[in-house]
């Protein structure tokens, strides 16, 4: 959600902070701010809008300070206004604070500081902390932070500066919001996410929850909040490259990421399926334990949940294990019944989604084995799980997930195959043959992306339907989660209301939405439910709606049931979803383009949702 960066060193840091914020901007972009500290005092700039607006607002600052920190905001407490943008300063001008996360007891904290006579200048939870620091300060910022820490409820990573100790930034972390240290020569960075400083250093250390971190130009000290013992953390080399964060010639990150899908899927498979053999290292459960599993529960949010819904069919089909997939934010408040033989799969691109993390923690407490599927090494979800399977999609910047979705479905496919192989429900020959077809998918996705006829057709569809008020998506079986994903893509970047429904359910309600011109997108690829889909499409056409069908190359029947047919390469039905979603991503992209919208930064959304 919010992004934070801090710098302590010998170089003037205004530009370093601004550049770091630009690399973090995809996480939150409703406002931004920075503070620079030098002997003359604290200088602050804040602006509503993108970091470019902050750049302008900060143009007048001195720019000689060698200690500074910045913030990109995704509003939680308090509207999108400059006065709610971080950092916050104490009234005496000596302290500055910024935060990613939430103080859940903010009402009480704000009331307390107001009672003590502080004038609150914002509606945020974070501002309370700067006043508390000013009150509690005893000459040692780190110790003051330590004393206040138990009073702060919620989940957060914050940074603080005090002018009395101008050589340092002190930070603290509770629960999942990440905080990473970047170690340079005579300089130290702090950030919520490594891309903020990767241009400067790749040597990183991760701050653990329950720790206070003290960063100076000379180095960094990690202290446990409870007993103040010194903690050691290995210096690791960050593997996300900044090159991937550049648009590489594409007009948007989303388009670039759509085009990276062949590589993302190929890298996710890589050595896991090789010469007819499947290896799924990292799963954290022995083959014996996997044979004991009697139920699988998949939890996730948004796109990640859709990948789980697709995986559900495959696990049931190939491994014969009862599988459910549920929204993490709902499941965490259900009294979910399961036992140690339940395998919980937590899917999250970012590995930070608050609800998914909470759901997996509850599952662990109740005795389930938890395997994470994530794209981010060392993320909170990866660390909390018994085993981790990484998608290898590379950093995804576009808020609308694309390459991580196809990589997640790929990984779910590998997992379903693995379970089938281990449990003996699939023969080695079946595993080898499905694995070969899976390995051919990157080439088939590339064919879709290179298909000029498909591109022209999607352009025409975007021209024709971009101004429609509503889209209905219909699918059955594995086509359903693909419809759900296609509908989510369209609504999040074009703001056109969409609904995705099991085609068989249409008669039970959504058919009432169909008018003469309603566009209905159907995933009608070859499978055992094709005939059923065809009948549903007839029902749609009988109401005068326009059917846009995604169908398999070579299918000769679909033309009778759809006005527009998007052809995708043929593969076995279980693998069609990975190919079927690609034209739906591109259709959504083109429609948003026709409407002149910023697809990389859809309104109100953040790439990573670290609040409940
Ligand atoms: C996808 O386009 C969305 N932006 C969103 O639904 C996302 O998939 C969801 O927030 C889950 O994120 P995660 O994979 O990082 O947990």
């Amino acid at each position: 959600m919010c992004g934070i960066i801090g710098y302590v060193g010998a170089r003037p840091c205004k530009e370093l902070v601004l550049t770091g914020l630009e690399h973090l901007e995809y996480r939150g972009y409703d406002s931004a701010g920075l503070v620079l500290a030098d002997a003359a005092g604290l200088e602050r700039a804040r602006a509503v809008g993108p970091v470019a607006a902050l750049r302008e607002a900060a143009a007048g600052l001195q720019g000689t300070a060698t200690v500074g920190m910045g913030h990109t905001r995704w509003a939680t407490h308090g509207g999108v206004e400059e006065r709610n943008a971080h950092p916050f300063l104490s009234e005496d001008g000596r302290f500055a604070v910024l935060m990613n996360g939430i103080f859940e007891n903010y009402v009480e904290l704000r009331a307390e500081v107001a009672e003590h006579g502080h004038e609150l200048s914002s509606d945020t939870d974070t501002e309370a902390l700067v006043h508390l620091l000013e009150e509690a300060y005893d000459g040692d910022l780190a110790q003051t932070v330590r004393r206040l820490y138990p009073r702060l409820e919620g989940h957060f990573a914050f940074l603080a500066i005090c002018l009395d100790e101008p050589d340092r930034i002190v930070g603290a972390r509770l629960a999942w919001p990440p905080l990473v240290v970047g170690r340079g020569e005579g300089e130290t960075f702090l950030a919520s996410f490594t891309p903020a400083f990767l241009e400067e250093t790749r040597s990183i250390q991760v701050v653990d929850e329950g720790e206070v971190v003290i960063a100076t130009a000379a180095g960094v000290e990690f202290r446990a909040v409870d007993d103040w013992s010194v903690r050691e953390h290995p210096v690791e080399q960050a593997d996300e490259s900044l090159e991937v964060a550049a648009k590489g010639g594409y007009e948007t990150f989303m388009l670039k990421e759509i085009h990276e899908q062949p590589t993302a899927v190929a890298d996710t498979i890589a050595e896991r399926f090789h010469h007819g053999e499947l290896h799924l290292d990292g799963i954290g459960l022995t083959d014996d334990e996997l044979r004991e599993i009697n139920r699988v529960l998949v939890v996730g949010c948004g796109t990640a949940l859709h990948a789980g819904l697709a995986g559900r069919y495959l696990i049931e089909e190939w491994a014969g294990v009862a599988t459910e997939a549920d929204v993490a934010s709902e499941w965490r408040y259900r009294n979910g019944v399961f036992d140690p033989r339940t395998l919980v799969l937590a899917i999250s691109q970012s590995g930070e989604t608050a609800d998914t993390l909470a759901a997996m923690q509850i599952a662990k407490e109740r005795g389930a084995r938890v395997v994470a599927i994530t794209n981010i090494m060392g993320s909170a979800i990866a660390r909390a799980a018994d085993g981790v399977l990484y998608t290898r999609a590379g950093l995804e910047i576009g808020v609308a997930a694309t390459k991580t979705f196809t990589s997640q479905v790929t990984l779910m496919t590998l997992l379903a195959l693995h379970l089938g192989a281990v449990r003996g429900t699939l023969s080695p020959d079946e595993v080898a043959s499905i694995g070969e077809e899976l390995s051919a998918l990157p080439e088939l996705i590339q064919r879709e992306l290179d298909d000029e006829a498909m591109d022209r057709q999607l352009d025409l569809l975007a021209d024709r339907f971009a101004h429609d008020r509503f889209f209905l998506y219909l699918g059955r079986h594995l086509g359903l989660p693909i419809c759900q994903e296609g509908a989510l893509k369209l609504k999040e970047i074009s703001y056109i209301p969409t609904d995705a429904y099991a085609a068989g359910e249409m008669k039970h309600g959504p058919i009432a939405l169909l008018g003469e011109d309603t566009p209905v997108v159907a995933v009608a690829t070859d499978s055992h439910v094709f005939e059923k889909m065809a009948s549903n499409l007839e029902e749609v056409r009988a109401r005068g709606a326009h059917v846009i069908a995604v169908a398999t190359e070579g299918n000769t029947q679909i033309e009778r049931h759809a006005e527009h047919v998007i052809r995708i390469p043929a593969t076995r039905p279980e693998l069609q979803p990975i190919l079927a979603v690609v034209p739906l991503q591109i259709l959504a992209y083109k429609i948003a383009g026709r409407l002149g919208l910023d697809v990389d930064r859809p309104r109100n959304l953040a790439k990573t949702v670290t609040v409940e």
Side-chain angles (χ1 to χ4, degrees), residues 229-246:
S229 58
V230 174
R231 295 264 184 91
E232 301 294 339
H233 294 306
V235 177
E236 299 166 58
Q237 293 303 306
D239 61 358
E240 299 98 337
S241 70
L242 256 196
E243 302 82 74
V244 297

Side-chain angles (χ1 to χ4, degrees), residues 53 130 140 149 303 374 407 417 432 441 444 457 470 519 530 539:
V130 82
D140 184 333
Y149 186 96
T303 289
T374 180
S407 303
L417 278 179
L441 286 189
L444 298 183
Q457 186 187 15
F470 170 70
F530 178 81
E539 292 158 2

Side-chain angles (χ1 to χ4, degrees), residues 301-304 347-351 353 356 399-401 408 488-489 492 607 609:
C301 301
T303 289
I347 309 185
S348 171
Q349 172 281 129
S350 61
T353 299
T356 309
V399 166
Q408 286 162 350
L488 176 64
K489 287 293 85 89
E492 67 181 336
K607 182 68 181 162
V609 182

